[in-house]
Amino acid sequence: MRAKKIRKVILITVLLLMLIVILIPLVWCIVLSFDRKALSTLPEFSLVPHEFSLFNYQVAFNTIPLVRYYLNTIFVTVVHTFLAVFFALMCGYAFAKGKFVGKQFWFIFMLAVMMIPFESRMVPLYLQYKSWGLLDTYAPLLMGACAYVYGIFFAKQNIEAIPDSLRESAYIDGASEWRIFLQIIIPLSKPLIATLSILQILSNWNSYLWPLVVIRSSEKQLISVGVSVFNAQQDSIYYGPRMAVAVISAIPLSIMFLFLQKYIVQSVAVSGIKQ
């Protein structure tokens, strides 16, 4: 019993040390963003600003259109997440409960496509959207949401755990397939929806390469590319404004994760039922 307590104390100590190692750079980033002295020099490490000021944030907002970048990114993230999760649930429901010719083949084919790196498909996709005249629009960023392969796979695994008796009862009551999907499958898939939404929000908010390739206009650009543009425009010694931009870009993800992280554990538990 005593050895078990010792192991528990050691484990907690190690985890706390790891947490400190992870948090120190984040805390220092926030401190530098509020430190006026961090504009032209890198101050000594401190957990509080040497000279508290919002000047670094003023420099950031006056240099690039951060508000515009924010609105663009929010729009793309929300629409892409909605489309990706909705189509993933529909396809997952079809693969889990539907009966059609070649279902197993198409599911394996879909998983095989998932193994192909995006970088190897980027040039053909670029040429395709160019031929359609869709470059410098949000279409290339949103159309891919209709084929969220990982989400389809994850949705299939979760929906398979839903008892068929619920669908059969709904059929007896005269419910259509759409009504079953909207009123039974979706309400029972809330942890799954939350998890896929988190993954999509993280992916879209941090997306850099593809928006950089297909979006040409500065007023249409996303926050990830905007941060890169800001860093390229500033001299390497301007630590404060750089940290301010980093903090601004990370705020939405931090807030989102605090409210939705519990659904990840719930969804993993649900998906593990049929393993």
Side-chain angles (χ1 to χ4, degrees):
M1 191 69 179
R2 184 176 181 182
K4 185 177 181 180
K5 290 183 178 179
I6 293 175
R7 286 197 299 268
K8 186 176 181 179
V9 171
I10 294 175
L11 177 61
I12 293 175
T13 304
V14 172
L15 292 176
L16 286 176
L17 291 175
M18 293 175 62
L19 179 63
I20 292 173
V21 171
I22 294 173
L23 288 181
I24 284 179
L26 298 178
V27 172
W28 198 26
C29 174
I30 297 173
V31 170
L32 288 176
S33 70
F34 289 102
D35 196 339
R36 178 64 182 266
K37 289 186 177 181
L39 177 63
S40 57
T41 59
L42 184 62
E44 295 181 359
F45 174 77
S46 174
L47 294 179
V48 294
H50 295 85
E51 184 180 338
F52 183 85
S53 174
L54 296 177
F55 180 75
N56 293 325
Y57 288 90
Q58 294 175 356
V59 172
F61 278 99
N62 292 333
T63 304
I64 57 175
L66 277 175
V67 175
R68 183 67 181 182
Y69 291 160
Y70 248 100
L71 295 177
N72 295 341
T73 309
I74 291 173
F75 170 76
V76 171
T77 300
V78 171
V79 175
H80 190 284
T81 299
F82 173 79
L83 292 175
V85 174
F86 185 73
F87 278 98
L89 286 171
M90 284 200 302
C91 295
Y93 176 56
F95 280 116
K97 303 297 185 180
K99 296 180 180 180
F100 53 90
V101 178
K103 183 174 75 171
Q104 191 67 21
F105 168 79
W106 288 115
F107 185 70
I108 295 175
F109 179 78
M110 180 190 67
L111 295 181
V113 172
M114 186 173 62
M115 305 302 174
I116 303 175
F118 172 75
E119 289 75 12
S120 64
R121 296 181 284 117
M122 187 172 64
V123 173
L125 284 174
Y126 175 84
L127 296 176
Q128 175 180 308
Y129 287 119
K130 182 180 180 181
S131 65
W132 291 348
L134 295 178
L135 293 182
D136 203 27
T137 68
Y138 292 135
L141 303 180
L142 299 177
M143 292 177 67
C146 301
Y148 181 27
V149 179
Y150 175 77
I152 296 172
F153 172 76
F154 202 15
K156 175 182 179 296
Q157 299 301 110
N158 280 261
I159 294 175
E160 280 183 342
I162 298 177
D164 291 333
S165 58
L166 295 177
R167 294 178 66 247
E168 294 170 356
S169 299
Y171 278 131
I172 293 175
D173 292 338
S176 63
E177 204 70 64
W178 269 107
R179 185 176 178 183
I180 294 173
F181 175 71
L182 295 175
Q183 296 186 358
I184 296 178
I185 301 301
I186 289 183
L188 292 176
S189 303
K190 288 181 180 179
L192 167 67
I193 293 172
T195 301
L196 295 181
S197 298
I198 290 173
L199 296 176
Q200 279 296 300
I201 291 172
L202 290 173
S203 176
N204 283 279
W205 195 270
N206 294 323
S207 179
Y208 173 78
L209 181 59
W210 188 232
L212 179 65
V213 171
V214 298
I215 302 296
R216 307 285 181 82
S217 304
S218 176
E219 64 273 10
K220 297 180 181 179
Q221 202 51 264
L222 306 187
I223 188 68
S224 57
V225 180
V227 171
S228 177
V229 171
F230 178 83
N231 290 333
Q233 292 177 350
Q234 303 305 308
D235 190 83
S236 60
I237 63 174
Y238 292 155
Y239 301 102
R242 287 168 177 262
M243 297 302 104
V245 170
V247 171
I248 292 171
S249 64
I251 288 175
L253 292 186
S254 302
I255 296 175
M256 179 273 300
F257 199 79
L258 287 175
F259 284 98
L260 298 179
Q261 61 176 334
K262 65 179 182 179
Y263 289 105
I264 295 180
V265 178
Q266 294 180 11
S267 184
V268 171
V270 172
S271 63
I273 292 177
K274 295 215 60 175
Q275 291 182 355

